[in-house]
Amino acid sequence: MKCAVAVQTAVQATFTMIEQNIFTTRLELRRLQPNDAEEVFYTYGSKPEVGRYLTWPTHRGLTDTRNFLEHVGQSWGLGVEFTFGIRIRSHNRLIGSLGIQNDDGRIEVGYVISPAFWGQGFATEACTAMVNYLRDLPWIYRIQSFVDAENIASARVLLKSGFIEEARLPLWRRFVNQGNIPRDCIQFRVPLEGRR
Ligand SMILES: CC(C)(COP(=O)(O)OP(=O)(O)OC[C@H]1O[C@@H](n2cnc3c(N)ncnc32)[C@H](O)[C@@H]1OP(=O)(O)O)[C@@H](O)C(=O)NCCC(=O)NCCS
């Protein structure tokens, strides 16, 4: 019981310390909200080519997206996951999302960009901005991410955003949109000064 109280306190502290908007030259990372459902669904949530390397099932209808956004809102409130839409600033268009999971100061980063916008450096720009923001927060002791070993594009994004490769992990986890078969993964982390 004591332990549960301590965790709750830490999570609450975390929640108050995350920005809801982060700006880069071309992009705004903005906290996802329930009224983003249609943009999320049509931009990336429903696209099978996007889902291949993701850990959540491709959305079959707007209800899936609305349920997802409800989960997103609750998780933000609990301080365990913070999900941002990635928008092009010049015309406020949603092109993807970036999420960070918080396990009491150990952060896991993930992202997705609409196929229509691949190859223009957007994921790298968003991920770099997030890493630079997170690395200055003293309560964070680790920033990590993993990719399917065949997801070369995502591995490139991580390396360009300040991550280093940490480990090759055979049969590390199942991917729901690839028949739920366990797949090899690569683990990355951001070296944090003073925190090894
Ligand atoms: C991974 C993803 C986010 C990259 O988005 P993006 O905006 O196109 O990324 P960037 O333009 O910033 O950089 C992509 C890099 O991957 C490289 N790349 C893209 N496709 C590639 C491929 N098939 N093989 C090798 N490299 C590839 C690009 O050349 C670029 O690297 P470079 O600058 O060294 O040339 C996007 O492909 C995506 O949403 N994929 C589906 C979801 C996903 O896999 N998310 C990550 C889960 S861990």
Side-chain angles (χ1 to χ4, degrees), residues 49-54 109-115 117-125 145-148 151-158 160 175:
E49 65 269 43
V50 156
R52 181 174 166 77
Y53 297 124
L54 297 178
V109 180
Y111 40 74
V112 50
I113 296 286
S114 162
F117 294 91
W118 285 356
Q120 298 178 53
F122 287 128
T124 301
E125 190 167 321
S145 187
F146 71 88
V147 301
D148 181 312
N151 194 352
I152 309 293
S154 187
R156 287 290 308 145
V157 168
L158 292 174
K160 290 189 292 177
F175 285 78

Side-chain angles (χ1 to χ4, degrees), residues 98-156:
L98 185 150
I100 57 172
Q101 290 179 353
N102 169 32
D103 183 0
D104 203 12
R106 186 182 65 193
I107 297 291
E108 181 90 34
V109 180
Y111 40 74
V112 50
I113 296 286
S114 162
F117 294 91
W118 285 356
Q120 298 178 53
F122 287 128
T124 301
E125 190 167 321
C127 191
T128 301
M130 182 56 73
V131 165
N132 288 340
Y133 169 67
L134 295 174
R135 73 191 325 155
D136 287 338
L137 300 180
W139 55 269
I140 289 176
Y141 68 91
R142 182 177 175 85
I143 304 172
Q144 63 184 28
S145 187
F146 71 88
V147 301
D148 181 312
E150 290 182 5
N151 194 352
I152 309 293
S154 187
R156 287 290 308 145

Side-chain angles (χ1 to χ4, degrees), residues 154-171:
S154 187
R156 287 290 308 145
V157 168
L158 292 174
L159 290 171
K160 290 189 292 177
S161 304
F163 287 76
I164 58 170
E165 184 177 320
E166 184 169 43
R168 299 258 162 178
L169 306 164
L171 300 182

